[in-house]
Amino acid sequence: WDSWERQPLPSEQARRQSPGDYSERRRSRRSKARDRRRSGLYLPAWSVVAMLMIVFLIAFGIVLLIGSLGGQAAPGGDPRVLIVTAEASNTPAGAAAPPTTVPAALQPVESAAPLPGFDGPVPTFALEGPTLAPVVLSPTPLSVVQGANVIVVDVGDIGLNIRANPGLAADILLSAPENMPFVVIGGPQQVDNLTWWQVQDSFDAAVQGWAAADYLQAVAPSS
């Protein structure tokens, strides 16, 4: 036992150190404790207990309130039955109701031929009313373009001058009569305030020239 040396406790070691170091550490711990108390997150133990008690009392009060509201007894007494009746009109006794007029268009018409197994005429209904005018479909007018079939119109007995070039000063190749067919092969060109198309005879390809568009009408190709 003489060789065993007792180890000093931590508190004894702290006291054996210099008094200045020991007091400095105590002041540091006290300063940290004061900082924790001053911080916004520090709550004393008594305040935590008080908050828990307040929460418990509020929850207990809510439970009592719900129980008191839900435990009300049903209202007593017998139910009352109300019968609502309409007031009688002042119609004189013995007065007949006005006859109901059925339009003639909806009156039943007796059929001449009875149905098999049915004894008596079969009533039918005829509808009357204004009739709509029939819709007349007109064909879409054709336009004079290259490749279109045209005829000569609005020239009467004078005929349409087919010229060698567009313009009123060009040479006249022939005079085409009313309704003469042509095929448009060129144009249009604007000369002398007129639109000119190059046309070709539908039956003779050698006959061709320029004609004013005002006297040409597009037609559907002949089948």
Side-chain angles (χ1 to χ4, degrees):
W1 297 99
D2 295 338
S3 63
W4 179 77
E5 181 182 358
R6 185 173 65 87
Q7 297 293 331
L9 297 175
S11 58
E12 294 178 354
Q13 291 180 358
R15 284 194 296 270
R16 292 176 182 176
Q17 295 175 359
S18 61
D21 295 341
Y22 179 72
S23 60
E24 182 66 27
R25 285 196 298 271
R26 292 187 62 184
R27 284 195 299 271
S28 176
R29 286 197 295 269
R30 291 175 182 174
S31 176
K32 290 180 180 179
R34 284 196 301 269
D35 293 341
R36 286 198 300 271
R37 293 190 186 95
R38 292 174 182 175
S39 64
L41 300 178
Y42 175 76
L43 293 176
W46 65 268
S47 63
V48 175
V49 175
M51 290 176 60
L52 292 177
M53 293 296 295
I54 293 173
V55 172
F56 176 76
L57 292 176
I58 292 174
F60 184 72
I62 293 174
V63 171
L64 290 180
L65 180 61
I66 294 175
S68 62
L69 293 178
Q72 293 181 357
D78 297 332
R80 293 185 300 171
V81 179
L82 298 178
I83 301 176
V84 180
T85 58
E87 295 182 0
S89 60
N90 296 326
T91 304
T100 302
T101 303
V102 180
L106 300 179
Q107 290 182 357
V109 179
E110 295 183 357
S111 176
L115 294 176
F118 180 78
D119 187 10
V122 179
T124 58
F125 291 91
L127 298 178
E128 296 181 359
T131 58
L132 298 177
V135 178
V136 179
L137 299 178
S138 59
T140 303
L142 301 177
S143 302
V144 178
V145 293
Q146 288 194 27
N149 292 272
V150 296
I151 59 174
V152 177
V153 294
D154 300 334
V155 294
D157 298 333
I158 300 176
L160 176 62
N161 293 328
I162 307 298
R163 300 179 181 272
N165 295 297
L168 298 176
D171 296 337
I172 299 175
L173 301 178
L174 66 112
S175 179
E178 187 87 8
N179 296 326
M180 182 174 178
F182 286 95
V183 176
V184 179
I185 60 174
Q189 292 190 21
Q190 298 291 330
V191 180
D192 296 333
N193 296 325
L194 292 174
T195 302
W196 297 84
W197 292 95
Q198 187 179 16
V199 296
Q200 182 184 67
D201 190 344
S202 300
F203 303 102
D204 188 358
V207 178
Q208 55 183 256
W210 291 84
D214 293 344
Y215 303 99
L216 298 177
Q217 179 181 333
V219 294
S222 57
S223 56

